[in-house]
DNA sequence: AACATTTGTTAGGCAAGTCTAACTTTTATA
DNA sequence: TATAAAAGTTAGACTTGCCTAACAAATGTT
């Protein structure tokens, strides 16, 4: 049985792994920042999780969930998203209120509870934020994602991943204040060179190149 | 904000106070036994709770909740019983399954959650075991209830709650088709061993032990 | 009232999870 | 490639909640 804290580390690792499917590893500082603890603390816990064979970890190396660790992390994510759905759908919580309480509820230990809750909610596929809810067996509806370059004029989409993971590209994204989840509206497509005019979040219109648009994964349904 | 553990101590103290309304105090060993810890551990925690002015406690003295402590304990009890009701009514948990999960759920911190849950359940007055659910302000419907063992021959009564909430007892009740609200007629009392012959609903006469009769709360006025 | 039993406390230790400060390794850059 | 910066680790300390073992107080019994 995992402690509350151990569960949070696994969940953080799973989340970080989603941010870059090609390289689902994380660093110690990254983990620590995500969990609101100091890097030293994360190091300690990673050693412990390694002992339990939940993560692959080596000194100064990148961190990766093992199959077992991933499975457990997905179970927690499943609970989190089901509870969010419950709060939103049944108890009239607002979009931004659900997360905090679900953070607590996700640690309740009872398989029966989770499965019954899912049934009670009518086997929902997505949570209030549009994120897919893993099934009891760990299956998770794969969300179709496309490249920004495929989006039609006037459509709004949300960033879900990057194709190119080079430093230059990532730094460019950072400069544009684009991260996972950022909404983008395609204002105009220029056929001549494949560039486009887009609106990032609530920023002013801005032009980006075809190369740029072909390296950013987005989805048309917020998640 | 109280820790999970502190909350459990307060709740235990409240429960013990219910066991003898005239003397709602508890002893260190009693507390420890109830919580499954050693007396030394309870002593430590009681000092801490005294610091926080949640209990009245003096070396070698009896332990009593302060007003503030009682208030907090009741809030926890409220959550526990609302969650039990939720599990039983909405998720089809059985009588004897609700407690364990509610033990976890009662520690979730969110006033909004509790109040919304109560509303969702239709402001129930009693939980699945027949125990009254405290209101948000701490009010708790006072129920006059007596033990089946106190009922005179020939009288009819209605089950309102169970004293023993162990799985064996609850499953026995289930087998006898006794739930909250079931009418029982006391046909005969055997002075020799305290057992009695009773009629459950419209079933045939049946003998039950003194131990049984001393663990079933009933009321003489249908509710 | 004296002694035995029960009840409760103290002292010292342990594990989990956190921290700070100092150190080491890796990575980036001039 | 040498050096600076970033990333990561180690050591030592703190808090919470728990334990055991030894001791102290209160209670019950003859």
């Amino acid at each position: 049985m995992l402690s509350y804290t151990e569960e949070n580390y696994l969940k953080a690792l799973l989340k970080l792994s989603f941010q870059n499917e090609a390289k689902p590893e994380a660093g110690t500082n990254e983990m620590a920042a995500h969990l609101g603890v100091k890097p030293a603390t994360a190091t300690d816990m990673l050693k412990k999780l390694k002992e339990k064979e939940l993560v692959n970890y080596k000194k100064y190396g990148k961190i990766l969930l093992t199959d077992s660790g991933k499975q457990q992390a997905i179970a927690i994510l499943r609970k989190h998203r089901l509870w969010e759905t419950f709060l939103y759908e049944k108890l009239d919580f607002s979009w931004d209120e659900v997360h905090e309480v679900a953070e607590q509820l996700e640690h309740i230990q009872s398989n029966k509870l989770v499965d019954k809750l899912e049934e009670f909610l009518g086997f929902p596929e997505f949570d209030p934020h549009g994120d897919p809810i893993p099934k009891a067996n760990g299956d998770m509806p794969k969300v179709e994602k496309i490249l920004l370059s495929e989006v039609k004029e006037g459509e709004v989409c949300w960033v879900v991943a990057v194709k190119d993971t080079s430093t230059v590209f990532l730094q460019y994204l950072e400069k544009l204040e684009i991260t996972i989840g950022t909404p983008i509206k395609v204002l105009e497509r220029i056929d001549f060179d494949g560039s486009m005019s887009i609106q990032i979040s609530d920023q002013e219109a801005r032009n980006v190149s075809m190369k740029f648009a072909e390296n950013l994964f987005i989805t048309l349904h917020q998640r």
Side-chain angles (χ1 to χ4, degrees), chain A residues 13 16 24-34 39 42-43 46 57 60-64:
Chain A
L13 216 30
L16 291 173
E25 319 132 326
T28 305
N29 286 2
E30 204 179 355
M31 286 283 296
H34 202 270
T43 299
L46 289 169
Y57 165 70
Y60 298 104
K62 289 294 173 189
I63 308 140
L64 203 59

Side-chain angles (χ1 to χ4, degrees), chain A residues 174-192:
Chain A
E174 218 165 294
K175 192 174 143 203
L176 296 181
E177 294 179 16
I178 289 178
T179 60
I180 305 301
T182 301
I184 292 179
K185 181 169 184 180
V186 174
L187 303 171
E188 192 183 0
R189 298 178 52 112
I190 315 295
D191 288 340
F192 168 63

Side-chain angles (χ1 to χ4, degrees), chain A residues 16-66:
Chain A
L16 291 173
S17 83
F18 287 157
Q19 288 183 11
N20 183 346
E21 289 186 28
K23 284 190 179 175
E25 319 132 326
T28 305
N29 286 2
E30 204 179 355
M31 286 283 296
H34 202 270
L35 289 159
V37 298
K38 300 294 168 189
T41 309
T43 299
D44 286 348
M45 181 56 84
L46 289 169
K47 285 185 197 163
K48 198 171 143 196
L49 294 175
K50 189 207 166 136
E51 275 312 299
K52 296 194 177 185
E53 297 186 29
L54 295 167
V55 303
N56 287 324
Y57 165 70
K58 268 181 202 148
K59 254 201 202 181
Y60 298 104
K62 289 294 173 189
I63 308 140
L64 203 59
L65 285 168
T66 62

Side-chain angles (χ1 to χ4, degrees), chain A residues 62-116:
Chain A
K62 289 294 173 189
I63 308 140
L64 203 59
L65 285 168
T66 62
D67 285 351
S68 158
K70 186 170 181 183
Q71 200 181 308
Q72 306 221 36
I74 286 175
I76 299 160
L77 193 66
R78 167 174 159 79
K79 288 193 275 184
H80 183 95
R81 292 182 176 170
L82 282 171
W83 280 118
E84 281 197 340
T85 306
F86 170 72
L87 296 172
Y88 188 79
E89 302 266 319
K90 303 292 182 181
L91 300 195
D92 285 322
F93 272 60
S94 67
W95 195 78
D96 55 309
E97 288 172 322
V98 296
H99 185 74
E100 187 189 340
V101 180
E103 284 283 300
Q104 297 180 61
L105 287 163
E106 73 191 1
H107 297 291
I108 304 292
Q109 306 281 179
S110 166
N111 288 332
K112 176 158 186 175
L113 174 59
V114 188
D115 295 345
K116 283 285 188 177

Side-chain angles (χ1 to χ4, degrees), chain A residues 159-177:
Chain A
V159 175
V160 291
V162 288
K163 187 174 181 187
D164 178 358
T165 60
S166 70
T167 307
V168 270
F169 187 52
L170 294 176
Q171 284 184 347
Y172 184 29
L173 289 176
E174 218 165 294
K175 192 174 143 203
L176 296 181
E177 294 179 16

Side-chain angles (χ1 to χ4, degrees), chain A residues 138-167:
Chain A
D139 285 358
M140 208 156 86
K142 181 90 176 183
V143 180
E144 22 62 57
K145 59 186 182 186
I146 58 175
L147 292 168
L148 176 60
S149 55
E150 299 171 66
V151 180
K152 297 197 191 78
E153 269 184 19
E155 282 187 326
V156 176
C157 57
W158 289 264
V159 175
V160 291
V162 288
K163 187 174 181 187
D164 178 358
T165 60
S166 70
T167 307

